[in-house]
Amino acid sequence: MKSAVETLNPTRVRLTVEVPFEELKDSLDAAYKKINQQVTVKGFRKGKIPARVIDQRFGRGAVLEEAVNDALPKFYTEAVNEAELNPLGQPDVDITELKDGETLNFTAEVDVRPALEIPDYSGIEVEVDAVEVSDEDVEKSVEQLRERFASTSPVERAAEDGDVVTIDLEAKVDGEVLEDGIASGVSYTIGSGELLDGIDDAVKGLEAGGEATFTSELKGGSAAGREAEVTVKVSQVAARELPELDDEFAQLASEFDTLDELKADSRKRLANMKTYDQATQAQERVLEKLLELVEVPVPEKLLEDEINTRKHNLEHHQLGQMGLDLEKYLEIQGKTAEEFEAETKEAAVKGIKTQFVLDELVKVEKLNVNQEELTEHLMRRAASSGMSPDQFAQAVVEGGQVPLLVGEVARGKALAVVVEAATVKDTNGEIVDLDDEDEDETGTEAPEAAAEATDEPAEEKTEG
């Protein structure tokens, strides 16, 4: 077999392959054997029909077609390996010449990973938010905890902001009560914004036994997105009473003996959260700078597939679970279809570029993924999926997704290398030291920045 490669553009090549006819012998034998098992010829036992009889009865062309279909994947793979290509997706194959007993010639056009040159990234500088926890932040955190321990007691007065009311609801669309538009005994905190738009104004000022009618757009159910006439009846008004902020509250709401200890712990937890957010922000901004440094051509077919996949996942999974269609979603977001298309394309391009660049970095830096790192990542993914580690691992193995997880971990390690080499300063001008512990948390796991950008690795979805 002889093959040659022609570069059509930075992300697409054409392979020209010439196969001497004798190299088709195994596939021809397999073709005769397969046809033997499928046909019956009087005077011959099944599977024992001579090749010349098959040629006479069914035509040599049928045998050649079967043989070529069997042989093409093997010769294509040999040509790809010989040229050391990294194909993306399935090739477009064209048989240019087939002479019985002489030769098989074909071409195969396929998208390939572009050759990338990773420049010196040690000069990358980014700015991130400073880790600062104000007294106001601590007070807000403690107040949220205090809200969780609030008690309620019925009152004989009109409902006010912050009260908890027990209500019955009935929703009508076009004058008809919806089957799923009736609810009784619903507990609602006025001002929480947890139910329908307009309900706060409707119930404020009502006492137990009072009712009001208002119009609102339904957020879910059979008539989601439609205007409804909603009748609300109040059966009870209860005032919320917050516990005193003292040592007794600290003992009730935490493992601490004093309010000062509780506040100190809240300050520490908030600082840890902001430190984690700072590390994630550093990853995102370093990744953006890195992508600016590398020229990354994007294969058109791969981009088209990635855009379609993102749209499909949004429409049929995320929005479907929310009871929304794309049109309603865009209305809620205040976006036009054109803006949505542009944003989806931009995200897809960034995802593909991120994967290409980080995968190249894995090769350049000779990064490997060990079993411990893979296991840790698998357990994190299992936790986010709501499955047990054993269930998730089984699903990954059965779905052939182990290489995908290995790729996620490797890309995470690649980005961690770049972040470590970069200069990261906070808004106060101080150098941020992302120590080893932070890198272990946010680096060896597929980093949020890389994971968000790539979503599901583009190559894994299209490579065949």
Side-chain angles (χ1 to χ4, degrees), residues 14 35 37 60 87 120 145 202 227 287 301 400 460:
R14 179 188 292 124
I35 294 172
Q37 299 300 323
R60 175 72 167 175
D120 179 13
L145 183 61
E227 286 286 327
L287 176 60
K301 181 65 167 61
E460 299 293 347

Side-chain angles (χ1 to χ4, degrees), residues 166-459:
T166 304
I167 55 177
D168 298 333
L169 295 164
E170 181 184 86
K172 293 180 180 179
V173 173
D174 297 332
E176 297 290 332
V177 178
L178 299 171
E179 287 187 15
D180 55 355
I182 299 175
S184 301
V186 177
S187 180
Y188 175 67
T189 301
I190 299 176
S192 66
E194 294 174 350
L195 281 178
L196 299 167
D197 293 337
I199 194 169
D200 290 337
D201 291 335
V203 296
K204 277 192 291 189
L206 295 181
E207 297 184 19
E211 67 175 63
T213 300
F214 64 101
T215 58
S216 182
E217 184 178 297
L218 298 178
K219 296 180 179 179
S222 62
R226 299 185 64 184
E227 286 286 327
E229 182 183 86
V230 182
T231 299
V232 55
K233 184 175 181 179
V234 178
S235 56
Q236 179 181 280
V237 178
R240 298 177 76 251
E241 298 176 1
L242 298 174
E244 290 294 325
L245 278 179
D246 51 23
D247 292 346
E248 186 177 337
F249 167 70
Q251 295 164 21
L252 170 69
S254 71
E255 70 271 29
F256 302 105
D257 294 326
T258 68
L259 183 61
D260 286 343
E261 289 174 332
L262 173 60
K263 288 184 176 181
D265 181 69
S266 294
R267 185 179 295 276
K268 181 180 178 182
R269 285 188 298 101
L270 289 170
N272 287 340
M273 289 170 57
K274 291 196 174 189
T275 299
Y276 180 82
D277 290 344
Q278 185 187 65
T280 301
Q281 192 177 62
Q283 290 173 353
E284 293 171 348
R285 295 184 178 177
V286 167
L287 176 60
E288 288 173 3
K289 291 279 189 178
L290 177 64
L291 294 181
E292 290 174 5
L293 291 177
V294 187
E295 183 69 32
V296 186
V298 176
E300 291 183 13
K301 181 65 167 61
L302 185 64
L303 177 58
E304 181 183 339
D305 290 344
E306 183 70 12
I307 291 172
N308 290 336
T309 297
R310 287 171 181 259
K311 286 181 182 177
H312 179 85
N313 289 341
L314 175 65
E315 290 188 61
H316 298 279
H317 297 294
Q318 296 162 259
L319 297 183
Q321 293 174 355
M322 298 164 61
L324 297 173
D325 59 19
L326 183 59
E327 184 179 351
K328 189 62 189 176
Y329 168 76
L330 293 179
E331 183 182 328
I332 292 171
Q333 294 291 314
K335 296 177 183 175
T336 65
E338 290 74 18
E339 288 171 334
F340 169 73
E341 292 285 343
E343 289 178 7
T344 303
K345 181 177 180 179
E346 182 181 357
V349 168
K350 183 180 180 182
I352 294 170
K353 286 185 174 181
T354 297
Q355 179 180 319
F356 284 174
V357 171
L358 294 184
D359 283 348
E360 186 66 24
L361 265 168
V362 169
K363 286 166 48 180
V364 170
E365 299 293 345
K366 296 181 172 60
L367 301 175
N368 296 308
V369 176
N370 61 42
Q371 187 60 49
E372 182 181 356
E373 292 166 340
L374 182 60
T375 300
E376 288 178 1
H377 181 58
L378 187 147
M379 293 182 70
R380 290 189 185 100
R381 287 285 302 270
S384 65
S385 72
M387 300 169 69
S388 72
D390 287 345
Q391 289 174 323
F392 187 80
Q394 184 178 352
V396 166
V397 172
E398 290 177 353
Q401 301 298 301
V402 173
L404 187 148
L405 288 190
V406 172
E408 288 178 353
V409 179
R411 291 181 198 110
K413 294 180 72 171
L415 182 54
V417 168
V418 183
V419 172
E420 187 177 359
T423 300
V424 181
K425 293 183 180 180
D426 66 19
T427 48
N428 294 327
E430 299 291 329
I431 295 289
V432 176
D433 180 20
L434 300 170
D435 59 30
D436 291 342
E437 183 177 351
D438 290 332
E439 287 173 15
D440 285 342
E441 285 186 9
T442 60
T444 56
E445 177 186 8
E448 291 182 21
E452 275 185 25
T454 56
D455 227 2
E456 291 177 10
E459 180 185 354

Side-chain angles (χ1 to χ4, degrees), residues 136-148:
E136 183 181 348
D137 292 332
V138 175
E139 295 300 329
K140 183 178 179 181
S141 176
V142 172
E143 190 63 27
Q144 289 173 342
L145 183 61
R146 187 183 179 207
E147 291 275 350
R148 287 168 50 192

